[in-house]
Amino acid sequence: MFYADTKPRVLPEFDQALIWTMALLLALGLVMVYSASIAIAEGSRISAHQPTYYLARHGLFAAAGLAAAAAVFQVPMRLWQRGALSLFLLGAALLVLVLVPGVGREVNGSQRWISLHFATLQPSEFMKLFAVLYAADYTVRKAAHMDSLRRGFLPMFIVMMVIAALLLLEPDFGAVVVITVIAMGVLFLGGMNWKLFAGLFGLLVAGFVVLILASPYRLQRVIGFMDPWADPYGKGYQLSHALIAFGRGEWLGVGLGASVEKLFYLPEAHTDFLLAVIAEELGFVGVVAIVAAYTWIVARAFMIGRRAASLERPFAALVAQGIGLWIGVQAIINIGVNTGMLPTKGLTLPLLSFGGSSLVATCCALAVLMRVDWENRQLARGHTV
């Protein structure tokens, strides 16, 4: 006589699939940054003509990101909620500091970095995480007033306009878009009145149009994006070469390391346009695999958030979903820029592109997401957190 196994299934401590997805993206980032940057490193005096210059730095950034993530994971969500406002004010102070002459470092006309001598800090990258925490805390505190324009929406709107103004002074339009989407998304998920949300959305679209029309260089980017082949050696240069890279890659790519576009044709090949090099070397299949990985991370973030909400943990739920919004929107913008679906914008591909602040900030955000998931699992076991 056979009996069914009635032993309860033990819930794992961590989401193994999510961890492996993030680890594979980090590993692929190391490989592709090296592949995309060899020619640039060999031809630059800054790197002392060392082909492994960007690989070594990206490896150090990845190690720093993992170390920071390990530390961040130890912090309970209740402490993140208590410190949300303080961290947001710290981020705002850093955005002011980066604009101070002699403190902020200017590169290619943008003053977005603070020199730490051994590395540079880009405050806008960490402000994305601080915005997630602050928006989640604000939404929880103002839950009873989410239908009110004056008490629910207006205070958050004023604060975000101040942050947007500081970012535009750098200028960093890409960070403005991402942080605005984070704040809007968290407010909406937290129960904002849909009429207020629709009105806010309309105002933001109008505001972005005005910002584009008021800035000649942004307008030129939009014009170049609409028809890059009209001026392939001018305003359409980056996009036209990115599209050439996608075309050369076809289904399976030309092979790892065999990209032609990275040989001084495609600007920012190891940062903003890394996906174009991936498309050329690994083909359509490689790009689809990356899109699938980001889709999985975002889906898991929303599932983790939904689970936290079912456990009556509204702050943790909104933080998890806010991180999912951040990763998803930034990946969509970068992919859209590389494929010519969006105007050229300087945003990295999360976990893949070269960039110390972006990599460390993203690792910290995903560690917070893993903390939310871990606490959910502990509560499901009947433990306290």
Side-chain angles (χ1 to χ4, degrees):
M1 190 172 187
F2 296 95
Y3 295 93
D5 185 4
T6 58
K7 184 178 179 180
R9 178 175 170 266
V10 178
L11 190 67
E13 284 282 329
F14 302 99
D15 188 329
Q16 299 294 333
L18 182 58
I19 292 174
W20 275 109
T21 302
M22 295 185 295
L24 289 172
L25 283 175
L26 271 175
L28 179 63
L30 278 169
V31 174
M32 295 312 303
V33 164
Y34 180 44
S35 177
S37 65
I38 293 176
I40 301 170
E42 286 183 333
S44 174
R45 287 180 297 177
I46 296 175
S47 58
H49 306 286
Q50 295 296 317
T52 58
Y53 176 80
Y54 290 104
L55 171 65
R57 290 177 67 83
H58 192 68
L60 287 173
F61 294 148
L66 291 173
V72 163
F73 179 81
Q74 305 304 317
V75 181
M77 291 308 298
R78 64 178 182 278
L79 295 184
W80 285 117
Q81 186 169 10
R82 290 177 193 169
L85 177 58
S86 298
L87 288 172
F88 189 77
L89 292 175
L90 171 63
L94 289 174
L95 291 180
V96 173
L97 190 62
V98 79
L99 298 172
V100 176
V103 177
R105 180 181 173 186
E106 185 174 333
V107 178
N108 296 330
S110 297
Q111 193 165 320
R112 305 176 186 174
W113 298 269
I114 298 174
S115 177
L116 302 178
H117 299 294
F118 59 89
T120 56
L121 174 70
Q122 188 174 352
S124 60
E125 292 295 339
F126 292 93
M127 193 63 194
K128 295 169 187 174
L129 175 57
F130 300 157
V132 170
L133 297 170
Y134 175 72
D137 176 56
Y138 177 88
T139 304
V140 171
R141 286 189 288 107
K142 298 283 187 175
H145 307 294
M146 280 294 104
D147 288 336
S148 169
L149 175 65
R150 184 175 63 86
R151 301 184 66 180
F153 162 70
L154 198 57
M156 186 68 163
F157 179 78
I158 293 171
V159 168
M160 286 303 166
M161 286 302 98
V162 172
I163 298 302
L166 291 173
L167 289 167
L168 289 172
L169 288 173
E170 296 183 5
D172 192 348
F173 188 67
V176 173
V177 173
V178 173
I179 289 174
T180 300
V181 170
I182 289 170
M184 280 185 58
V186 171
L187 286 173
F188 180 73
L189 292 167
M192 174 185 272
N193 182 285
W194 71 268
K195 293 181 181 179
L196 285 178
F197 182 82
L200 171 61
F201 182 79
L203 287 174
L204 287 172
V205 171
F208 286 140
V209 171
V210 170
L211 286 172
I212 291 169
L213 295 176
S215 175
Y217 90 93
R218 291 194 193 106
L219 184 58
Q220 289 300 314
R221 283 190 169 185
V222 172
I223 293 171
F225 140 75
M226 293 173 68
D227 187 7
W229 306 109
D231 187 12
Y233 297 105
K235 54 181 176 287
Y237 183 80
Q238 283 181 305
L239 179 53
S240 61
H241 280 280
L243 294 177
I244 291 170
F246 272 86
R248 290 192 75 247
E250 298 184 350
W251 287 99
L252 299 176
V254 296
L256 185 62
S259 167
V260 171
E261 286 300 318
K262 70 184 180 184
L263 303 177
F264 302 101
Y265 293 104
L266 181 62
E268 311 297 339
H270 59 304
T271 55
D272 302 341
F273 283 88
L274 183 67
L275 186 69
V277 177
I278 293 173
E280 187 177 1
E281 296 190 349
L282 303 183
F284 178 76
V285 172
V287 174
V288 168
I290 289 171
V291 172
Y294 286 124
T295 302
W296 173 253
I297 291 174
V298 173
R300 283 301 302 151
F302 274 82
M303 285 187 275
I304 289 168
R306 187 172 60 183
R307 178 60 176 161
S310 71
L311 294 169
E312 299 183 353
R313 306 174 64 219
F315 173 75
L318 291 174
V319 167
Q321 293 171 347
I323 291 170
L325 279 174
W326 165 13
I327 301 299
V329 168
Q330 186 156 328
I332 287 171
I333 292 175
N334 183 279
I335 293 168
V337 166
N338 275 257
T339 56
M341 298 174 67
L342 293 172
T344 302
K345 194 72 223 77
L347 280 174
T348 57
L349 196 56
L351 296 177
L352 287 173
S353 296
F354 179 82
S357 295
S358 173
L359 190 56
V360 173
T362 305
C363 286
C364 289
L366 291 172
V368 174
L369 176 62
M370 293 299 299
R371 178 73 195 193
V372 175
D373 181 55
W374 183 83
E375 290 188 2
N376 287 346
R377 292 165 186 260
Q378 294 304 306
L379 290 170
R381 290 189 174 94
H383 302 161
T384 57
V385 292

